[in-house]
Amino acid sequence: MFLLMKRIIRVLMNVIYLLDIFHKMLNKIILVKRIISYLSCLYLCTQILIIKRITLFNKKEKNMREDTEKSVVCNHNKIGLLGLLVTLGIVFGDIGTSPLYVMKAILHTGETINESTILGALSCIIWTLTLQTTIKYVCVALRADNNGEGGILALYALLRRLKSKWIYILAIIGASTLLADGIITPAITVTTAIEGLESISPDLPVIPITLAIITIIFFVQRFGTESIGKSFGVFMLLWFLLLGVVGAVSITSYPMILKAFNPYYAVVLLTQSPEWFLILGAVFLCTTGAEALYSDLGHCGRKNITISWAFVKTMLILNYLGQGAWVLNHVPTALSVNPFFSIMPQSMLIFAIIMATGAAIVASQALISGTFSILSEAMNLHFWPRMRIKHPTHVKGQLYIPMINLAMYIGVVLIILLFRDSSHMEAAYGLAITITMLMTTLLLGFYLHSKGVSRVLTILFMGAYCTIEAIFLAANLSKFLAGGWCTMLIGGILFLMMYVWVRAMKIRRHYVCTKPLDDYYQIISDIKADESIPKYASNLVYVNHADKEGAVDDKLLYSIINKQPKRADHYWFINMEFVDTPDTLEYSCKTLVPDTLYSVTMHIGFRIEPRVSLYLRQVVEDLVASKKVDLKSTYPSLRKNGIPGDFRFIIIHRVYYPESSANRQQNLLMTLYALISKIGIDEPKALGLDTSMVVVERVPLIINQRNRSIRRITQIVNKKEEQKEKGCL
């Protein structure tokens, strides 16, 4: 503890030393001091006003929810120093590393470097952060929460009950492009940070060092990141302070850079520059982390993100302005270096590179964890095949999906080897996330309409942001051939997989035949009482896929009655209902036939991993405690000693045969579905069943009547035997 305090004091002393230097420089330039003080006060007042308005609006909400979770992550939703620090470490890693490459990307667009260009580009950055991140995401999107959870899939879960059946397409387009962006982010952030070493040693092997760091990042995922994650907040606080202080010091070398706050310079640049679309494509990189900010709503809470963003945005803008000031003072050499590292004092360069590498690791970790969370939600929303999920720590929401971790690692390594340096990666970055933001805007429009917001305001919001993001999309499309094709290819493959999975699941559900369960109460009771039938199990459990209440899958009844009649003491039908809320875990139980037949409906949130064996055990314990069921074995020797009866699960697996459908489109979809399902796990493991007690019965999935064009097999007739038969007659 003493050593930790000593290190913190040492870091604070360094910060105070830098602030002292900054103060002395400002005293020499009185005009600059007054301008910066005025603009800083004006800017902070604006941020405080935004926060105050959001807080007041929150108090007016009628349906305030109290978070009763006691896990580590949920406690971070409370406003306080700990909550704000954790928010800095979890939420702002992606957007916080954008100063590493945004200004460098702008300089490489080919536009002439002069005051008008730099002021216009900086003005675009400031107002992009304001319009996109502050207004759209912080002020609007963070309010569109699903029981405290955010992100495009959580937003879709709120809207999937609407009449618009095609709305799922917006969700899977947004999710697939967001996942594609998650592959390029670790590559570009880590590579850019390591490239800073070239200013010290030009012959340093950047790619091997980058690959080594990437390998370590993905390797440690299997062990969990709870221990190192606790320090992310403090580290990112120091990172943002470094950005702001160094940027502010650099501003003093060219005070007129503060004119970039005026949007006039952005308008002039976009209307007069022939390379405006390339510049706008580079500017967009400053806000790519905004979607991740919305996705992390459930980890930190709206108020923590809102308050932290005021600080983060201030530090980012100071750093961008500082880089712009340095560029205007060093126009001849600006293209050959990265302005981010150039504004650093030479004595702090090594420290800055270490900090940049650490920030890149934090950003990469946030993207990897976010990818696991998104795919976990997609599984419960039936957008993705269910995969094996591990929980390396006891922290709520921390997941590890081995196959996805390996696939992401291979993808990041291939991107690094393909593009070689960050300048080429910048061309591949930004296009996919633009589409995600556009899909989020459309879904937010549906959300605002469903909440009773006036149609005029909804149309104005959607029109304004669809226009802004369409312009950004057009600007980023200019980078398609230079590298944007890469993320679009990845996003396209992911979209195709999700689309096929959704359509195939609908086809399977459509052709599942159901029957009223109450018509079979008597025969099930008779089978139980028929001792001539060998007892199959004391407790027989089926997973019922019928959607309607009181209905049962006909193949389930066929398994009990026709296919080797199964006698048991108790029959349990489990109905799985994945609800629109994230953390719901409830059940309801009905006794259909006393001491014989029970129906259990489990209501599971889209962020909860199904573990049917565990949940059923808890349900049975409740029923036994309330004396609604007697689980003691009916075998006299076992019952005498109070031993409970055994459980056995029966899973009905429907197999698709192409010959059963004349529809070529359905045949293609179901064939692709079969291929995609190979990356997932089988249904017993997906439901969390103890595989030692599971029997899988395979039955045909009859999509349609047999095609009449198929030839019918004919019987071979022996003429002699036929004549004998006729003679006998």
Side-chain angles (χ1 to χ4, degrees), residues 131-395:
L131 294 175
Q132 279 291 115
T133 312
T134 303
I135 297 178
K136 177 187 171 182
Y137 282 96
V138 175
C139 294
V140 179
L142 291 186
R143 303 191 51 74
D145 66 303
N146 189 335
N147 283 37
E149 294 293 338
I152 192 166
L153 292 183
L155 181 58
Y156 162 75
L158 286 172
L159 303 173
R160 62 175 173 169
R161 302 296 183 186
L162 298 180
K163 294 181 180 180
S164 302
K165 300 299 181 183
W166 51 268
I167 202 170
Y168 76 92
I169 295 179
L170 301 179
I172 62 177
I173 290 175
S176 58
T177 49
L178 182 60
L179 291 172
D181 177 74
I183 295 178
I184 190 72
T185 299
I188 190 172
T189 52
V190 176
T191 303
T192 307
I194 299 303
E195 283 177 349
L197 293 172
E198 291 181 337
S199 58
I200 300 174
S201 177
D203 298 328
L204 199 70
V206 173
I207 292 180
I209 296 175
T210 303
L211 291 176
I213 293 174
I214 290 294
T215 301
I216 293 172
I217 292 173
F218 281 95
F219 179 75
V220 300
Q221 298 301 315
R222 68 188 65 195
F223 306 110
T225 56
E226 179 183 5
S227 57
I228 59 175
K230 293 177 181 178
S231 61
F232 282 174
V234 176
F235 181 87
M236 292 306 293
L237 173 63
L238 297 176
W239 167 252
F240 286 118
L241 286 174
L242 175 67
L243 293 182
V245 171
V246 173
V249 172
S250 181
I251 289 173
T252 60
S253 65
Y254 199 96
M256 300 307 292
I257 201 71
L258 296 172
K259 293 192 295 183
F261 280 98
N262 190 340
Y264 166 79
Y265 294 96
V267 175
V268 170
L269 178 67
L270 297 179
T271 54
Q272 296 183 2
S273 173
E275 307 293 339
W276 68 269
F277 55 95
L278 294 176
I279 295 175
L280 207 56
V283 166
F284 182 76
L285 300 180
C286 75
T287 190
T288 51
E291 191 68 36
L293 177 149
Y294 180 36
S295 299
D296 288 324
L297 173 61
H299 291 94
C300 304
R302 181 191 310 150
K303 294 181 180 179
N304 279 327
I305 294 176
T306 303
I307 295 172
S308 300
W309 172 241
F311 165 73
V312 170
K313 184 181 177 184
T314 304
M315 298 298 105
L316 290 175
I317 289 178
L318 285 175
N319 193 265
Y320 285 126
L321 292 174
Q323 291 187 48
W326 183 90
V327 169
L328 292 178
N329 284 323
H330 303 81
V331 173
T333 59
L335 284 174
S336 60
V337 294
N338 187 339
F340 176 82
F341 293 108
S342 298
I343 65 173
M344 298 289 174
Q346 193 65 29
S347 59
M348 291 183 59
L349 189 56
I350 296 293
F351 174 72
I353 293 172
I354 294 173
M355 291 293 291
T357 305
I361 292 173
V362 173
S364 301
Q365 175 60 47
L367 262 295
I368 295 169
S369 300
T371 299
F372 294 157
S373 297
I374 291 171
L375 286 175
S376 175
E377 295 174 7
M379 293 174 198
N380 283 353
L381 291 171
H382 304 298
F383 286 170
W384 193 260
R386 193 164 293 280
M387 293 180 164
R388 185 162 59 99
I389 298 177
K390 292 185 176 182
H391 298 268
T393 67
H394 296 291
V395 176

Side-chain angles (χ1 to χ4, degrees), residues 430-451:
L431 179 55
I433 198 65
T434 314
I435 298 175
T436 303
M437 290 184 172
L438 190 57
M439 297 302 106
T440 301
T441 297
L442 295 175
L443 290 176
L444 282 173
F446 283 104
Y447 173 80
L448 293 174
H449 179 68
S450 68
K451 290 298 180 180

